[in-house]
Amino acid sequence: MPVFTASVEIHLKPGALDPQGQAVGDGLRSLGYAGVREVRVGKHVRVQLQAADAAAAVQVVERMCQELLANPVMETYRFTVTRDDER
Amino acid sequence: MPVFTASVEIHLKPGALDPQGQAVGDGLRSLGYAGVREVRVGKHVRVQLQAADAAAAVQVVERMCQELLANPVMETYRFTVTRDDER
């Protein structure tokens, strides 16, 4: 069965306060990066999985996000799925 | 000055043990996702910044990664920079 890699970005919802992002933004500005506007810090999950085809892999990753990877109440997620090289 | 958004993925180096990734992988398998192979958990940072042009934005984000966003001893990073819509 082919192997796919999902690249999943998970962030707090846009309206939610993100203290870690604010701290990083303040840190960057204090280092002299004057052009910095908003900074948001979230999680990045890379999942390597076997699936019949790309469409099946996308479906599975969508369910993984809903069931375990993200908290749908507080967080948003988005992901890409790429087929790995044959090995 | 135009506004860009950098999307930065930061992970532990490939050889480094990633207990959080292992825990997520175990969790997914115990939920029935039998096709799961390796899982790695890292950070995702979204930085909105002003810069003269895309090349300047890429240079600035590269420095931000080296100086503050990532720990070059333990972590690897990669990023994309996208120009935001005019506003």
Side-chain angles (χ1 to χ4, degrees):
Chain A
M1 218 160 22
V3 177
F4 298 86
T5 296
S7 169
V8 187
E9 301 171 13
I10 302 157
H11 279 269
L12 289 168
K13 286 190 174 169
L17 193 68
D18 175 7
Q20 203 186 347
Q22 290 183 340
V24 170
D26 291 346
L28 288 170
R29 278 178 221 103
S30 78
L31 285 173
Y33 295 101
V36 172
R37 296 171 114 192
E38 195 183 28
V39 179
R40 305 284 288 182
V41 175
K43 280 181 291 182
H44 186 265
V45 185
R46 203 173 284 146
V47 182
Q48 205 184 42
L49 72 159
Q50 287 189 300
D53 55 29
V58 167
Q59 267 192 337
V60 167
V61 174
E62 175 68 33
R63 278 198 286 122
M64 286 177 177
C65 288
Q66 299 267 358
E67 281 192 61
L68 187 136
L69 299 181
N71 172 348
V73 177
M74 313 253 311
E75 296 172 325
T76 59
Y77 57 85
R78 63 181 184 182
F79 63 85
T80 58
V81 170
T82 314
R83 182 167 171 161
D84 290 10
D85 296 339
E86 306 299 328
R87 51 189 79 192
Chain B
M1 224 168 11
V3 177
F4 298 86
T5 296
S7 170
V8 187
E9 301 170 14
I10 302 157
H11 279 268
L12 289 167
K13 286 189 173 169
L17 192 68
D18 175 6
Q20 203 185 348
Q22 291 184 338
V24 169
D26 292 346
L28 289 170
R29 278 179 221 104
S30 78
L31 284 172
Y33 295 101
V36 172
R37 297 171 111 191
E38 196 183 29
V39 178
R40 305 285 288 183
V41 175
K43 281 182 290 182
H44 187 265
V45 185
R46 204 172 283 146
V47 181
Q48 205 184 43
L49 73 159
Q50 287 188 300
D53 55 30
V58 167
Q59 267 193 335
V60 167
V61 175
E62 175 68 33
R63 277 198 287 123
M64 286 177 176
C65 288
Q66 300 267 358
E67 281 192 61
L68 186 136
L69 299 180
N71 172 347
V73 177
M74 313 254 312
E75 297 172 326
T76 60
Y77 57 85
R78 62 181 183 183
F79 62 85
T80 58
V81 170
T82 315
R83 182 167 171 162
D84 291 10
D85 296 339
E86 305 301 326
R87 51 190 76 193

